[in-house]
Structures are given as C-alpha cells and as structure tokens.
Amino acid sequence: ERAHYEQYVSMIGLAKARLERNEVDGAREILTSLRRSPQFRDQIDRWEWRWLWNQSNQAYSVQPNLAPISDMGLAPSGTYILVTLTDGSVQRMMLSEKAEIAQSEPFAASEFSAYRATCVAIDSGLQIAAVGTQSGHVLIFDSDGSLIRIISMHRDRVNDLKFSNDGLLVTGSTDRTVRIWDEESASEWTGDQAVYHISAVQQIAVAGDRRKL
C-alpha cells in the first residue's frame, strides 16, 4: 500500500508541475490515468486530486492567441465578463445578446504588467471588480476599469475571492488565511485577528451579509 501511495504522490506532483507550466492536457491525462487505475481508487477522493482536476478542467482557451482562463466574473449587466488568464493578465470579454463572446480586449494592462492576476470577482451593488494577485495584493477597479486602490491583503498568492450580498470582499490565500475587506469604509475587518488554517486556502464560498457571514 505504501508503494502505491508513494506512486500516487509522485503522479500528483507531476500533474501539478504540468499545470504550472500551462500544460493542461498533460495534467488532465495524468489525473485521468489515476482515476481509471483500480489501485488508486481510494486516493482520487482526496482533496489534492479533486483540486487539480478542477483546475485542469476549468482552464481552456477561448481564443487561439490567449492563455487559458483561470477564473472569471460576470458583470451585473450581463454584457461582459472579466477573466484572469494563466499568464497573469486580465481580459474583458464583451458578450452578445446570445451570451456569446463578441470581442475581447486587455483589461487594465498597465497594472498587470506589474502584478500577476490569479482570480477575479465583480460586485453588483458597488459595481466594482476585485482582482487577486500572485503577490498577495488585491486590486480594486471601478466599472470603467479605472484603478481605485491596491490593497496589501495577504503575504502570498490570492487563490480565490468573493463578494458578500452587501459588498464585503472575502479573500483566501496560500498564506493560509481568509480575510475580509470593506470597500465602503476602505478598511480591513480581519487585521491581526485573521485565523490561520492548516493549509493554503484554495477556494471559498460566501453567504450572508456583514451582519452574519
């Protein structure tokens, strides 16, 4: 059993390395072989296999000249989406009445020459967009794409972020913390009281509002 587990760990590491090099098909092939092999049947329920499988299947190329998508947010109007790409850039993709991509253009290209984008969320009430970065910063933009502020939220990569019903921004990071930012008061709610998790926070889901999240 130990030999099987060590082989599983080795293949998981290889799939992760392929994904980091943007070799999505290669990573998916390794994960598929693990899933099909009877000897690894018990392992594929583990979080690392499920997370890598999710990452390798959500990254796809919309246009031949673009890197695969790593995350996306839909504008409240339904007229465009913001997507983060695996090369660290952000694109605004305009949607047609049939919800098809009609046009794609770089979003805040000057900002993302210095910061490598990892995830994005759009708030319907405040009409702002938040973009997490590899460095742990979060960039806040208005609906026109103008930069409002840069927040030093984390000490490592921001892996996911979500808005609450009333505009609180919740972020999760490789630094093992979940933090909360209030854009209305331009202040962080967690500060030194952030709780550290056992491992990196890869994904978050948010329900409720500032009275009870």
Side-chain angles (χ1 to χ4, degrees):
E1 287 188 9
R2 182 168 182 80
H4 288 164
Y5 178 71
E6 289 178 349
Q7 186 180 358
Y8 165 80
V9 171
S10 176
M11 293 180 73
I12 284 292
L14 182 58
K16 182 176 182 292
R18 292 280 179 87
L19 199 57
E20 289 174 345
R21 294 198 300 267
N22 201 23
E23 299 173 7
V24 179
D25 291 339
R28 192 184 299 116
E29 183 178 341
I30 294 169
L31 296 170
T32 299
S33 69
L34 284 171
R35 184 176 62 180
R36 291 176 176 173
S37 177
Q39 65 185 359
F40 298 120
R41 189 166 296 160
D42 294 336
Q43 273 79 29
I44 62 171
D45 287 332
R46 295 171 62 95
W47 72 267
E48 60 270 16
W49 185 93
R50 289 185 284 109
W51 183 79
L52 286 170
W53 181 257
N54 179 59
Q55 295 298 306
S56 65
N57 281 280
Q58 73 177 5
Y60 61 92
S61 294
V62 175
Q63 298 182 4
N65 62 327
L66 293 182
I69 292 173
S70 58
D71 196 18
M72 67 175 65
L74 176 65
S77 61
T79 57
Y80 70 90
I81 56 176
L82 290 181
V83 299
T84 56
L85 306 181
T86 55
D87 63 4
S89 65
V90 182
Q91 289 274 323
R92 187 204 304 265
M93 297 183 175
M94 308 305 297
L95 302 178
S96 68
E97 294 181 356
K98 296 181 179 180
E100 298 174 342
I101 297 174
Q103 181 183 351
S104 179
E105 59 187 15
F107 178 83
S110 60
E111 303 299 339
F112 296 109
S113 61
Y115 294 94
R116 188 177 178 87
T118 56
C119 50
V120 62
I122 301 177
D123 178 69
S124 58
L126 297 174
Q127 297 187 1
I128 57 175
V131 180
T133 67
Q134 188 75 37
S135 64
H137 295 84
V138 174
L139 282 63
I140 305 292
F141 298 89
D142 64 19
S143 58
D144 296 325
S146 298
L147 180 66
I148 298 175
R149 71 182 83 253
I150 299 175
I151 313 164
S152 298
M153 287 290 283
H154 294 276
R155 294 184 307 214
D156 208 333
R157 174 190 169 103
V158 181
N159 293 317
D160 198 11
L161 39 72
K162 296 285 189 302
F163 282 101
S164 69
N165 294 335
D166 56 354
L168 289 181
L169 178 63
V170 184
T171 62
S173 169
T174 300
D175 70 6
R176 300 187 292 126
T177 65
V178 172
R179 296 184 178 274
I180 302 173
W181 173 265
D182 181 16
E183 180 59 26
E184 287 187 349
S185 62
S187 62
E188 184 186 346
W189 278 28
T190 39
D192 296 335
Q193 299 179 2
V195 177
Y196 280 81
H197 295 256
I198 295 175
S199 58
V201 180
Q202 301 292 355
Q203 291 183 311
I204 56 176
V206 176
D209 53 32
R210 64 188 61 224
R211 292 173 298 178
K212 186 177 181 180
L213 279 177

